[in-house]
Amino acid sequence: MAHGKTADGRSSYELLRDRVSACDRVLDLGCGDGLLLELLAARPAGAPSVLAGLDLSAEEPALARRRPGLAAADLRPGRAQQLPFADGRFDGCLSHMALMLMCEVEQVAAEVARVLAPGGAPAVVLGAGAAGGEACESFLRLARPLFEAAPAAQRIPPLGDPGCAPARASTRSSARPDSPRRSGRPYGST
C-alpha cells in the first residue's frame, strides 16, 4: 500500500487522513498497528481531540500504543459488529483495507452509524480480489448509491500507477475506471 500513490503523490492512508481533516473525534476500524492514527495525530490541521482505534487482534492495539503520537489514543481490541463506544461519540470513522474482511457487514454499518454523530464522515479504502467475498460485496451494495451521489470533487481518486490503468480496467467487472478490481483471481495471478 505504501507504493500506491494518487496523481498528487498521496498514499491511501494520506487520502483517508485528509477526508476527515475537519473531524475532531475520529475512530479507526481495523486500526492495526496504528499507522493511520499516527498520521491523524500529526495531520497539518492539528491532531483530533479524540483518537480511537479498534482491531480484532489484541496484539495490534498493543503495537499501536508504542507509537509516540498515540499516547492519549483509546486503543482497544474488539469487534466492529459490537463497537464499545457511546452513540454519537465520533464525527469521523475510517477504515483502511479492513471492512472487506469483516462478516455481518450490515451490522458493522449499523454500528458505525450509531457511533457517528449526525453528519459524521465515514471514509474507507476497500480492496477486492482474493479477499473480497461476502463483506466486500455487501459493503459495495450498500455504499454504491452514496458513492455515485457524491460530487466528483469529493470522490477519492483511484490509486496505483497511471501507466497501468488500461490493463487494470480490462480485469474489472465494471467499465468505470474508479470501480474496484473484481476479476475474481487471486492477487499476483495472471
Side-chain angles (χ1 to χ4, degrees), residues 6-68:
T6 62
D8 64 5
R10 291 181 295 164
S11 71
S12 56
Y13 292 100
E14 293 165 319
L15 285 168
L16 281 178
R17 176 203 61 201
D18 295 348
R19 297 302 289 178
V20 295
S21 62
C23 297
D24 192 46
R25 299 170 290 130
V26 180
L27 170 63
D28 182 1
L29 286 182
C31 67
D33 69 358
L35 175 62
L36 181 54
L37 289 168
E38 187 174 55
L39 286 173
L40 282 164
R43 71 183 180 187
S49 65
V50 174
L51 276 176
L54 185 91
D55 201 279
L56 186 58
S57 164
E59 291 81 16
E60 293 293 350
L63 289 172
R65 282 186 195 90
R66 295 180 183 175
R67 293 183 181 269

